[in-house]
Amino acid sequence: MPYERNRYCFMNIETANRLVTLRKEHNLSQEALAEKLGISRQAVSKWERAEHRPIPIT
């Protein structure tokens, strides 16, 4: 079901904007945040544009 998959993959814009604000308050670039989290800069960029959301490891 494409709808079900997409429903869980996208982040809402308020959360994305909060992530940008927090990153900037801590004087971190997307690249620096990505390095701290062990992910790619592209993943951080997608989160900040609300194109994707972090998927927790279970």
Side-chain angles (χ1 to χ4, degrees):
M1 286 184 181
Y3 173 75
E4 288 296 314
R5 181 175 177 270
N6 290 338
R7 187 176 85 174
Y8 295 106
C9 290
F10 290 90
M11 194 193 276
N12 71 36
I13 195 69
E14 292 85 13
T15 304
N17 288 338
R18 182 72 176 140
L19 177 60
V20 173
T21 300
L22 288 169
R23 178 178 59 78
K24 289 181 178 181
E25 283 177 0
H26 288 87
N27 299 313
L28 292 170
S29 64
Q30 287 181 343
E31 189 168 343
L33 178 59
E35 187 175 313
K36 286 180 177 282
L37 297 174
I39 60 173
S40 70
R41 183 204 50 81
Q42 291 84 354
V44 173
S45 177
K46 286 180 181 182
W47 297 350
E48 291 184 354
R49 291 178 300 179
E51 291 181 2
H52 214 276
R53 70 174 180 88
I55 305 295
I57 298 172
T58 56

